[in-house]
Amino acid sequence: MSETLSAREIMEKLVSFPSVSDVSNLPLIEWVDDYLSGHGITVHRHYNETNEKAAVFAHVGPEIEGGIVLSGHTDVVPVEGQPWSSDPFEVVERDGKLYGRGVCDMKSFDALAIWALVEAHSAEVQRPLQIALSYDEEIGCTGAPPLIAAMDGKVPKASSVIVGEPSMMQAVTGHKGGTGFEVHVRGFEVHSSIMHTGVNAIMYGAKLIEWANEMNEENRAKVPSEIDAMFEPPWTTVHVGKIEGGTAHNITALDCRFALTFRVVPGESAEGWANRFREKVAEVEAEMQAVRPEAHIVLEEMFDVPGLVPEKDGEAEQIVRSLTGDNAPRVVSYGTEAGHFQNGGYSGVVCGPGNIEQAHQPDEFLTVAQFEAGEAFMRRLVDMLRG
Ligand SMILES: [Zn+2]
């Protein structure tokens, strides 16, 4: 039997692991596994393909379906190049604020979830509580789908998930989905005086970017559905935020590279938009190849995060509303793992301590008041599960 730590002590421990997305999270996972196992909880691990990272999940309470999952990610964004006033991997309290990488996004919630799981286990709750801690959330939510698949069959299926991304402990019931591509247009170089015999990668790339402009105009003109109307803006956007290419003003450009991303309203599918883009790419590529058959376009998918679709009288939303007393409709513009859970058959809601504006920042902080609001939430949750 391990010593039982306070939620704050667990949080300080989690922050001390520099679990940036580009390194292994196993030291943190070992600690969580030992802590929960030490309290008599069965812990399951799911490793990534290289065995360098793992997700953990656990179930407490009766061996029945219909429980609640507390979902968090263990990875944090890098601190390199950021001006920090203190060691980012040590929690420091100054003026009612807790500073450290991940205190907001989202190790405080992880700690609160670990604390609640131990509480629920010793309280012999009537309704199950589960925890699911992923990896690789910060690089496109890619750790969630294998984790959700691994939970299937290993633990009784829960019906609701609370994803603890920073929301000031308010219920967030929807967010847009997102998908994005690195586009590499490969042309054919000739002197620009005979440009009709070459393929200018920049000028063909511009056709794809102009397609993005057209789509934005088209989408803006649509009448949004009731759900889509909750978002700002209430339509799907296509964005090009970075471009490079070309050699000189008088050479048809050999290469053009840019990043094109979609933020998709719940009423439309990210996959559908990705397919429309692929069709346009095939059309432009055919034009290029009519001039020079070796010219081509390569697409690399950067991320694919499904949206969280607001549910009508959703169970997860009802739970969070009853525990927080917050009844305002609220959707956000950042992506989370909640859409993956929803696709996996869970009712989903986002609710966690802290303000998203502090996430990923130098001197990332969480107010002590928000941490305490999170603790109070977890106490009420365990009470509710007692029945
Ligand atoms: Zn996060």
Side-chain angles (χ1 to χ4, degrees):
M1 178 83 183
S2 316
E3 181 197 357
T4 299
L5 302 177
S6 68
R8 170 87 176 255
E9 288 167 328
I10 298 171
M11 187 270 277
E12 288 172 358
K13 188 72 198 173
L14 296 182
V15 171
S16 75
F17 295 100
S19 52
V20 179
S21 312
D22 61 354
V23 300
S24 171
N25 71 341
L26 292 179
L28 182 153
I29 293 297
E30 298 279 351
W31 185 86
V32 173
D33 192 336
D34 284 352
Y35 185 74
L36 293 176
S37 304
H39 285 85
I41 296 169
T42 305
V43 178
H44 304 268
R45 288 196 202 186
H46 179 75
Y47 285 87
N48 72 346
E49 302 99 38
T50 61
N51 289 326
E52 284 166 323
K53 294 176 186 174
V56 286
F57 57 97
H59 172 104
V60 303
E63 288 292 309
I64 53 171
E65 297 193 342
I68 298 168
V69 187
L70 299 175
S71 150
H73 58 82
T74 60
D75 57 325
V76 293
V77 295
V79 295
E80 272 77 41
Q82 293 189 336
W84 279 78
S85 310
S86 55
D87 179 356
F89 300 109
E90 189 188 329
V91 177
V92 176
E93 182 175 344
R94 290 194 299 271
D95 305 325
K97 293 173 181 167
L98 303 164
Y99 290 86
R101 171 56 83 226
V103 290
C104 178
D105 184 13
M106 62 183 291
K107 288 178 169 176
S108 288
F109 183 84
D110 295 345
L112 291 164
I114 291 166
W115 180 85
L117 201 75
V118 170
E119 278 291 300
H121 183 57
S122 59
E124 295 180 3
V125 289
Q126 304 294 305
R127 185 178 179 185
L129 185 66
Q130 298 181 353
I131 191 171
L133 300 180
S134 70
Y135 53 83
D136 286 353
E137 192 273 347
E138 295 291 3
I139 53 175
C141 291
T142 54
L147 166 60
I148 293 162
M151 289 168 75
D152 222 348
K154 288 260 179 51
V155 287
K157 176 88 179 226
S159 52
S160 280
V161 63
I162 300 169
V163 176
E165 289 288 340
S167 74
M168 294 301 283
M169 293 310 299
Q170 292 171 327
V172 167
T173 59
H175 60 70
K176 287 185 183 181
T179 184
F181 296 92
E182 294 277 6
V183 185
H184 177 197
V185 184
R186 179 76 170 183
F188 188 87
E189 277 181 314
V190 295
H191 192 277
S192 61
S193 60
I194 49 164
M195 65 178 278
H196 64 291
T197 65
V199 175
N200 185 318
I202 293 175
M203 295 178 79
Y204 282 95
K207 294 190 182 209
L208 296 175
I209 296 169
E210 183 49 21
W211 176 84
N213 287 324
E214 286 165 14
M215 292 306 108
N216 285 326
E217 287 311 308
E218 213 174 89
N219 291 344
R220 182 196 271 267
K222 288 177 191 168
V223 177
S225 70
E226 198 183 321
I227 285 174
D228 294 352
M230 295 171 75
F231 290 84
E232 176 58 32
W235 63 83
T236 294
T237 54
V238 196
H239 184 250
V240 177
K242 200 185 76 182
I243 186 164
E244 62 181 38
T247 310
H249 77 90
N250 56 0
I251 303 173
T252 59
L254 180 61
D255 293 297
C256 177
R257 290 184 168 84
F258 56 92
L260 182 141
T261 52
F262 296 88
R263 289 186 186 273
V264 182
V265 288
E268 298 174 357
S269 94
E271 201 189 340
W273 276 105
N275 288 337
R276 280 186 75 176
F277 180 55
R278 285 194 185 93
E279 279 168 27
K280 183 67 191 178
V281 166
E283 181 191 313
V284 172
E285 190 178 50
E287 287 175 35
M288 293 161 61
Q289 290 176 342
V291 184
R292 284 284 176 178
E294 57 270 69
H296 61 267
I297 302 173
V298 179
L299 292 185
E300 199 184 315
E301 193 176 69
M302 292 190 288
F303 57 89
D304 181 12
V305 181
L308 174 64
V309 184
E311 301 161 16
K312 201 145 183 61
D313 304 318
E315 186 192 83
E317 175 183 348
Q318 306 277 352
I319 292 167
V320 167
R321 293 206 188 286
S322 75
L323 294 174
T324 61
D326 168 37
N327 288 311
R330 197 173 288 103
V331 297
V332 294
S333 53
Y334 55 89
T336 77
E337 298 180 332
H340 281 300
F341 275 97
Q342 198 175 48
N343 285 350
Y346 296 82
S347 169
V349 68
V350 175
C351 181
N355 188 324
I356 194 70
E357 284 171 18
Q358 271 92 51
H360 304 194
Q361 296 293 312
D363 287 344
E364 175 179 346
F365 70 84
L366 180 78
T367 63
V368 173
Q370 272 295 297
F371 192 81
E372 288 171 353
E375 280 182 300
F377 176 90
M378 292 298 174
R379 278 203 195 91
R380 288 193 291 269
L381 174 65
V382 174
D383 268 350
M384 187 193 87
L385 298 174
R386 258 197 201 106

